[in-house]
Structures are given as C-alpha cells and as structure tokens.
Amino acid sequence: MNPLKSIPMTVALGFVLAIIISLSYGDGDPALNIYSLMTWLHVFFGVIWIGLLYYFNFVQVPAVGEALADEGGPGPVAINKYVAPRALWWFRWSALLTWLSGAAALEVMGIGLKNAFTLSGDGQIIGIGAWLGTIMLFNVWVLIWPNQKKILGIVDASAE
C-alpha cells in the first residue's frame, strides 16, 4: 500500500515527517524543538488555507460562473455538490489550525497572546499579524461559512 496514493495518508505522512524533523532540530533544546514544530505547523496550515483561498477566487468562482452560462453543460452542480463542500471543509479547518498553531508559537516564543493582542512589549510587530489572522479566522467561520452553507443548499435559505 502506497500512502502517497491517498490524500489523508499523504497529509498524515507529511505530518509525521515534519514532527520527526522538527523534534530532531535544535541541539537538544526542547523549547527550540517545540517552537520549530509550531512554526512548521503554522506555515503548513497557512499554505493550505491561503492556497484554497486562491483556488476559490481564481478557479472555483469563475468556473461556477462559466457553468451557469453554459446552457448545454452540466451546470455548477458538480462543483457545488462534490468539490465545494470538501474544499470548504479544508478551508475552514486549515484556518482554525493556522490560528491555533500561531497562538502556540507565540506562547512557546515567550511573547504570549496577551502581549501580541495588546501590541505591547515584544508583541508589537507580531501582534499586528495576530490581529490580522484573527480577523481572517472570524471572516472564514462567521461570514463565509454560514453564507456558503446557504449557497450550497446545506441549510435552507430563500433566493435572496
């Protein structure tokens, strides 16, 4: 069985390898090992999150528009029924895991969430990023996801 023939197994294998590499780095300093791991996870989940954002904006939205205009084609049902829910699942959870791994990295670095979000001490610059990431996370879970559930027919909604 080749784990690279399955997306979940590929992701899991990447996770395990990242953990092994992160924990083996740092000259035996456990704090550096954990910081390295948190930073790697933060970047990993961030790439998934932002990659899917680009997918939605540059691929899926224009494709649904074209599918709606194609009178003889299958319409957007294939995208909206099979692709969009799966992509939105990865989008939502990668957003949350990006934020959580970033918060964990702040704690391991010794900056802490309080200093980051109050923009005090060593948290002034990184705090701006923490605020932007929090606003983006809020946008994904509180604005985008409830509206996408209506568009995809997951919850009942009027035509308006």
Side-chain angles (χ1 to χ4, degrees), residues 5 12 30 47 72-73 81 87 100 110 140 143 158:
K5 290 186 177 185
V47 166
K81 184 174 181 182
L100 289 172
V140 167
L143 301 175
S158 64

Side-chain angles (χ1 to χ4, degrees), residues 91-102:
F91 183 66
R92 288 190 325 274
W93 291 104
S94 63
L96 179 62
L97 292 170
T98 300
W99 192 93
L100 289 172
S101 59

Side-chain angles (χ1 to χ4, degrees), residues 11-151:
V11 171
L13 183 61
F15 243 50
V16 169
L17 288 174
I19 290 169
I20 291 168
I21 291 168
S22 294
L23 294 177
S24 65
Y25 176 75
D27 298 330
D29 181 3
L32 186 57
N33 292 349
I34 298 298
Y35 171 69
S36 176
L37 177 62
M38 288 302 108
T39 302
W40 189 92
L41 289 173
H42 184 64
V43 170
F44 176 78
F45 293 126
V47 166
I48 294 171
W49 183 15
I50 300 307
L52 283 165
L53 181 64
Y54 280 107
Y55 161 76
F56 288 127
N57 288 326
F58 295 132
V59 178
Q60 184 172 303
V61 170
V64 169
E66 289 177 25
L68 283 169
D70 184 4
E71 292 182 22
V77 83
I79 295 170
N80 289 343
K81 184 174 181 182
Y82 298 105
V83 178
R86 182 174 295 160
L88 284 163
W89 185 92
W90 283 97
F91 183 66
R92 288 190 325 274
W93 291 104
S94 63
L96 179 62
L97 292 170
T98 300
W99 192 93
L100 289 172
S101 59
L106 285 172
E107 291 297 326
V108 171
M109 286 172 29
I111 293 174
L113 289 174
K114 180 182 176 191
N115 285 340
F117 282 106
T118 58
L119 304 177
S120 59
D122 292 336
Q124 286 180 328
I125 301 299
I126 197 73
I128 294 168
W131 272 109
L132 289 172
T134 302
I135 292 166
M136 291 168 57
L137 177 68
F138 178 86
N139 185 41
V140 167
W141 281 93
V142 178
L143 301 175
I144 294 173
W145 177 233
N147 288 313
Q148 285 295 325
K149 287 193 293 189
K150 293 174 188 173
I151 291 169

